[in-house]
């Protein structure tokens, strides 16, 4: 999705070896152990809460912040890392000034005055500032400067440009994000807007996410927005926000994102109760053409609506609230659990709208990709970091879901679809966990089927593929295809 240097496995192993965690007073690892992104996240502690108190000046892109992290050590630590790219002025650990150093592309090494014991509660306060659009890691910035402000929404990278964190989805935490911006400008983040107050020309917006959230699902947008509030039929508060600067995309954006409440209630009938206290979506005046399932406050680029409304993309991002946000991937290689199911939800929406059944969409995808198409070389179950958001993760990923449905039948399938988000609500899970769960619900062994569809290069034989008949393009196909660039940042 983005230009990025991938640290070699050998180098990653060396980094882990020089940073052994676990011994008394050891140095916390500089990565969380993710094979795809060895330097993302850190070792030695778990964060339970982020309190971010920010001030942002749209005219200059200047961001100032104080981040307070509540964490618990998982090892005795003489030193530990956070992931961060802006300039740090001061760090305190448990109320005492700590030494700190910026190293690597996005590491902040913190040395408390005294070693921390294993299982100790730790409060870390980091004061910082910077102009995020000018700060790069691996040669890029994920911060999107807009004519009236800036936006942080990116996967997997986004947090480094606005708050220090343990930047890996395996360490989820609750968030309070309070942002001061000049009067007349709005600030948007995840969850509920719990207060808004103005003083001396500045307005403070305070947002609260009360359920565990992965760091890449945290978002911040500052700009001139119109913010709308409503409540869904089932009672979920909805907040939507639109840049005042969407031009000719404004109508189509509202006609799509404005249906967030209705589509959330519809998805609840398939995926179980909506997992969060609030739901929403915002459309800033950014340029890249992607969307991201930022938790309970989805990010949509206006370009998605440049050829008209698209409810399919809203269904995709809202389905992630169950598949990806509430149940998060344990490692980035588990991406099929996010994208295969979010894409499949689009197929179910098509079915609901009488624009082609999921089976017809599966037939269409299967038949439109010849056996020698490189599409079939990408493994949705382990696509590698460079192909993490390849179309095959979505389309072949959804074909795998349809193959599962055909193998276990509709009754067991929809029980799995609804039961999985309840089974791991607010936690993390792997593809192997999913297999065990689906086998338990259906009573059928699924190893061969998942091996074929997720882990084997080449076009699966028609025997395990959806039933082939005369295949025509489903009505919904163009709208679904228009969402193929969902995660392409550039
Ligand atoms: Zn997605």
């Amino acid at each position: 999705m983005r230009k990025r240097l991938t640290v070699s496995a050998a180098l990653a192993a060396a980094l882990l070896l020089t940073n052994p965690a676990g011994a008394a007073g050891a140095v916390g690892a500089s990565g969380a152990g993710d094979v795809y992104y060895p330097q993302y996240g850190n070792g030695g502690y778990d964060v339970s809460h982020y309190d971010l108190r920010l001030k942002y000046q749209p005219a200059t892109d200047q961001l100032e912040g104080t981040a307070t992290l509540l964490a618990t050590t998982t090892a005795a630590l003489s030193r530990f890392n956070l992931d961060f790219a802006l300039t740090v002025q001061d760090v305190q650990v448990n109320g005492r000034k700590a030494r700190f150093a910026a190293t690597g592309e996005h590491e902040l090494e913190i040395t408390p005055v005294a070693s921390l014991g294993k299982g100790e509660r730790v409060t870390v306060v980091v004061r910082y500032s910077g102009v995020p659009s000018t700060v790069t890691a691996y040669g890029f910035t994920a911060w999107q400067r807009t004519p009236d402000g800036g936006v942080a929404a990116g996967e997997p990278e986004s947090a480094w440009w606005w708050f220090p964190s343990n930047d890996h989805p395996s360490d989820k935490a609750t968030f309070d994000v309070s942002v001061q911006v000049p009067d007349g400008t709005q600030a948007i983040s995840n969850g509920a807007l719990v207060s808004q107050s103005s003083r001396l020309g500045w307005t403070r917006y305070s947002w609260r996410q009360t359920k565990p959230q992965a760091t890449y699902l945290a978002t911040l947008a500052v700009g001139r927005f119109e913010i709308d509030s409503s409540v869904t039929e089932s009672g979920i508060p909805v907040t939507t926000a639109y840049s005042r600067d969407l031009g000719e995309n404004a109508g189509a954006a509202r006609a799509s994102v404005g249906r967030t409440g209705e589509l959330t209630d519809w998805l609840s009938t398939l995926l179980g109760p909506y997992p969060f206290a609030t739901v929403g979506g915002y459309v800033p005046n950014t340029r890249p053409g992607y969307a991201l399932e930022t938790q309970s406050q989805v990010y949509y680029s206006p370009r998605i609506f440049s050829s008209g409304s698209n409810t399919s993309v809203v269904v995709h991002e809202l389905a992630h609230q169950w598949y990806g946000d509430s149940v998060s991937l344990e490692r980035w290689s588990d991406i099929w659990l996010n994208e295969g199911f979010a894409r499949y939800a689009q197929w179910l929406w098509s079915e609901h709208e009488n624009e082609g059944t999921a089976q017809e969409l599966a037939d269409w995808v299967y038949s439109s990709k010849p056996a020698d198409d490189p599409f079939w070389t990408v493994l949705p179950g382990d696509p590698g970091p460079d192909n993490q958001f390849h179309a095959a993760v979505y389309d072949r990923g959804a074909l795998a879901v349809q193959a599962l449905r055909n193998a276990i039948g509709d009754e067991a399938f929809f029980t799995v679809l609804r039961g999985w988000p309840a089974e791991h609500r607010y936690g993390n899970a792997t593809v192997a966990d999913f297999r065990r769960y689906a086998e338990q619900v259906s009573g059928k062994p699924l190893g061969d089927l998942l091996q074929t569809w997720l882990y084997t290069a080449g076009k699966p034989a028609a025997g395990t593929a959806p039933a082939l008949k005369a295949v025509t393009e489903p009505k919904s196909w163009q709208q679904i295809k228009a969402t193929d660039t969902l995660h392409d940042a550039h």
Side-chain angles (χ1 to χ4, degrees), residues 134-467:
T134 65
V135 174
T136 58
Y138 306 109
F140 71 90
T141 175
W143 181 263
Q144 301 184 61
R145 187 82 164 103
T146 59
D148 54 358
V151 174
E155 181 183 14
E157 307 91 353
S158 139
W160 311 335
W161 289 272
W162 68 287
F163 68 99
S165 74
N166 187 19
D167 194 22
H168 191 272
S170 56
D171 189 1
K172 298 163 73 166
T174 53
F175 281 71
D176 275 317
V177 179
S178 179
V179 194
Q180 204 177 30
V181 294
D183 284 351
T185 294
Q186 287 72 39
I188 291 161
S189 190
N190 310 80
L193 179 60
V194 291
S195 71
Q196 178 185 335
S197 61
S198 294
R199 198 168 67 92
L200 301 174
W202 291 79
T203 304
R204 178 172 289 285
Y205 292 83
S206 297
W207 295 82
R208 170 165 284 186
Q209 175 58 263
T210 56
K211 299 299 181 194
Q213 173 173 284
T215 46
Y216 83 95
L217 296 170
T219 190
L220 173 67
V222 176
R224 295 185 64 250
F225 287 94
E226 290 173 344
I227 301 179
D228 298 337
S229 298
S230 60
V231 178
T232 75
E233 205 163 278
S234 73
I236 306 162
V238 185
T239 305
T240 50
Y242 306 89
S243 166
R244 294 169 194 271
D245 189 20
L246 295 181
E248 58 192 21
N249 295 326
R254 281 180 178 275
S256 311
V257 179
R259 294 179 66 182
T260 292
E262 169 208 342
L263 295 172
T264 302
D265 280 350
W266 176 72
L267 281 164
S268 303
T269 65
L270 293 167
L271 309 178
Y274 178 71
F276 305 120
T278 61
V279 70
Y282 74 95
V283 190
N285 46 348
T286 46
R287 297 166 71 88
Y290 67 100
L292 186 64
E293 61 270 24
T294 39
Q295 189 161 310
S296 70
Q297 187 63 268
V298 172
Y299 163 82
Y300 300 93
S301 154
R303 226 170 72 196
I304 290 173
F305 309 109
S306 60
S307 49
S309 68
N310 191 327
T311 49
S312 194
V313 67
V314 180
V315 166
H316 179 106
E317 303 306 339
L318 290 175
H320 274 310
Q321 304 304 312
W322 288 259
Y323 282 82
D325 294 12
S326 174
V327 184
S328 299
L329 33 74
E330 178 69 34
R331 290 289 179 263
W332 283 108
S333 53
D334 295 312
I335 192 70
W336 172 70
L337 291 174
N338 290 13
E339 302 306 344
F341 288 84
R343 173 53 55 93
Y344 196 76
Q346 294 177 266
W347 291 8
L348 292 174
W349 176 240
S350 166
E351 194 163 309
H352 176 265
E353 294 292 281
N354 293 317
E355 293 192 344
T357 64
Q359 182 66 63
E360 285 164 355
L361 282 155
D363 290 344
W364 177 253
V365 169
Y366 183 83
S367 64
S368 62
K369 302 282 186 195
D372 60 356
D373 194 308
F375 174 89
W376 298 109
T377 63
V378 177
L379 310 180
D382 189 9
D386 293 337
N387 284 327
Q388 199 184 338
F389 303 105
H390 190 282
V393 174
Y394 296 72
D395 284 338
R396 185 175 173 174
L399 279 175
V401 177
Q402 181 65 28
L404 171 72
R405 180 177 173 179
N406 291 340
I408 67 177
D410 272 10
E411 194 182 332
F413 174 75
F414 285 104
T415 304
V416 168
L417 203 62
R418 188 185 173 86
W420 173 253
E423 183 82 0
H424 294 279
R425 186 173 299 158
Y426 311 133
N428 296 82
T430 64
V431 175
D433 293 329
F434 181 83
R435 175 190 160 183
R436 275 190 292 276
Y437 179 74
E439 287 182 335
Q440 180 201 319
V441 169
S442 68
K444 295 204 165 126
L446 297 169
D448 287 351
L449 179 133
L450 295 178
Q451 184 65 35
T452 299
W453 284 97
L454 299 182
Y455 297 106
T456 306
K459 187 171 183 172
T464 53

